[in-house]
């Protein structure tokens, strides 16, 4: 079946502009995650959704970052007033996670490469 | 604080030369340890999940093992197509039940023909 998809694949923006990144999880997956991968750094957790609610937002680096999920499916990560340090690859993952606390494999999308000039 | 350290950062092997990648971790409680493979410009691809010390899993030329402090990814007789960055991640037990993964920085493996 189809995997996790993300759009756009690349986004170049100017400092101070807002951007929206989209994630379509695997059909039927209830959990959705956003991570960020900066050059030379490991993947950094941003936020976790179970259904439409976000029990863990602890990784969002500032209040310029927000995310929502609608219909238990598509999620959008929004970065307001972008800064150069926001340049990174933003990765989305999804998992079945039918029962909270159960360990399920997270399947990743191809990522969105964000460049802030 | 939950932490994952991978070594070496980079590894060059000749085709057929077996070796091991290390992932050491500190975590208050471990729900699972994951290995992923990442090719340039792509998202991580799932390889293995290990849950408890002593567990081993194999897939083709790869074998993952787990102790209470570290995991090893053994690569037997590697081929050039095994060249990639290998990522290790832990899923800690959390009070809030967060499903987040904590990743290491990865080991970049290059296998020369």
């Amino acid at each position: 079946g189809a995997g996790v998809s993300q759009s756009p694949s690349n986004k170049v923006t100017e400092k101070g502009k807002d951007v929206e990144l989209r994630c379509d999880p695997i059909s039927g997956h209830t959990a959705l995650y956003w991570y960020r991968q900066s050059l030379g750094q490991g993947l950094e957790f941003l936020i976790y959704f179970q259904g439409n609610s976000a029990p863990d937002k602890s990784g969002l680096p500032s209040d310029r970052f927000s995310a929502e999920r609608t219909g238990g499916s598509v999620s959008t990560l929004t970065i307001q007033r972008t800064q150069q340090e926001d340049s990174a690859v933003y990765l989305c993952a999804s998992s079945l996670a039918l029962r909270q606390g159960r360990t399920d494999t997270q399947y990743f999308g191809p990522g969105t490469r964000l460049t802030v000039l | 604080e939950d932490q994952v350290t991978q070594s070496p950062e980079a590894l060059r092997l000749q085709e057929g030369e077996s070796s091991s990648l290390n992932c050491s971790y500190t975590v208050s409680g471990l729900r699972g340890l994951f290995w992923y493979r990442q090719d340039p410009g792509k998202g991580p691809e799932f390889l293995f999940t290990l849950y408890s010390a002593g567990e081993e899993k194999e897939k083709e030329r790869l074998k993952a093992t787990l102790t209470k402090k570290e995991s090893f990814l053994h690569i037997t007789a590697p081929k050039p197509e095994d060249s990639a960055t290998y990522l290790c991640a832990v899923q800690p037990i959390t009070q809030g039940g967060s499903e987040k993964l904590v990743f290491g920085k990865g080991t970049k493996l290059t296998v020369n023909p």
Side-chain angles (χ1 to χ4, degrees):
Chain A
V4 177
S5 61
Q6 294 187 244
S7 60
S9 55
N10 281 284
K11 177 71 177 179
V12 180
T13 190
E14 294 179 347
K15 178 181 172 181
K17 301 280 190 183
D18 297 352
V19 295
E20 286 189 351
L21 312 179
R22 177 187 168 107
C23 172
D24 278 276
I26 294 171
S27 178
H29 280 195
T30 62
L32 185 147
Y33 319 78
W34 285 98
Y35 294 85
R36 178 169 73 173
Q37 188 171 33
S38 304
L39 196 62
Q41 300 297 313
L43 273 78
E44 171 192 16
F45 168 79
L46 298 177
I47 187 169
Y48 152 59
F49 286 93
Q50 179 63 35
N52 291 335
S53 63
D56 189 352
K57 306 179 184 179
S58 63
L60 294 177
S62 75
D63 59 8
R64 295 187 297 105
F65 288 72
S66 63
E68 65 174 12
R69 188 179 185 195
T70 55
S73 182
V74 172
S75 176
T76 303
L77 178 69
T78 301
I79 308 173
Q80 295 179 310
R81 305 181 301 281
T82 53
Q83 304 294 312
Q84 288 183 334
E85 61 262 29
D86 299 334
S87 295
V89 176
Y90 289 81
L91 290 158
C92 175
S94 70
S95 70
L96 272 174
L98 293 175
R99 184 179 71 244
Q100 195 167 20
R102 165 184 156 143
T103 302
D104 283 302
T105 300
Q106 296 183 20
Y107 295 93
F108 283 81
T112 293
R113 180 174 297 278
L114 175 66
T115 303
V116 182
L117 301 176
Chain B
E1 182 184 351
D2 304 316
Q3 200 165 0
V4 177
T5 303
Q6 291 188 246
S7 62
E9 290 184 11
L11 180 63
R12 284 187 174 273
L13 299 174
Q14 288 298 121
E15 185 172 2
E17 179 187 2
S18 302
S19 189
S20 297
L21 281 54
N22 177 262
C23 170
S24 62
Y25 62 92
T26 53
V27 64
S28 51
L30 181 70
R31 283 172 56 195
L33 184 141
F34 297 78
W35 282 97
Y36 286 86
R37 168 192 170 125
Q38 187 173 27
D39 293 297
K42 297 191 175 181
E45 174 189 345
F46 170 73
L47 293 174
F48 303 109
T49 308
L50 301 167
Y51 295 100
S52 57
E55 189 174 0
E56 299 182 353
K57 287 194 178 173
E58 287 188 67
K59 179 181 178 180
E60 296 181 353
R61 296 177 292 282
L62 299 177
K63 179 180 177 180
T65 62
L66 181 65
T67 72
K68 288 186 178 180
K69 293 184 179 180
E70 59 191 350
S71 177
F72 291 93
L73 185 65
H74 307 278
I75 303 176
T76 302
K79 298 182 178 182
E81 53 262 42
D82 294 323
S83 297
T85 296
Y86 290 85
L87 301 173
C88 173
V90 296
Q91 188 170 57
I93 295 172
T94 62
Q95 285 193 340
S98 176
E99 309 280 331
K100 72 177 182 183
L101 297 179
V102 178
F103 280 86
K105 292 185 180 181
T107 293
K108 183 177 181 180
L109 174 66
T110 304
V111 182
N112 296 314

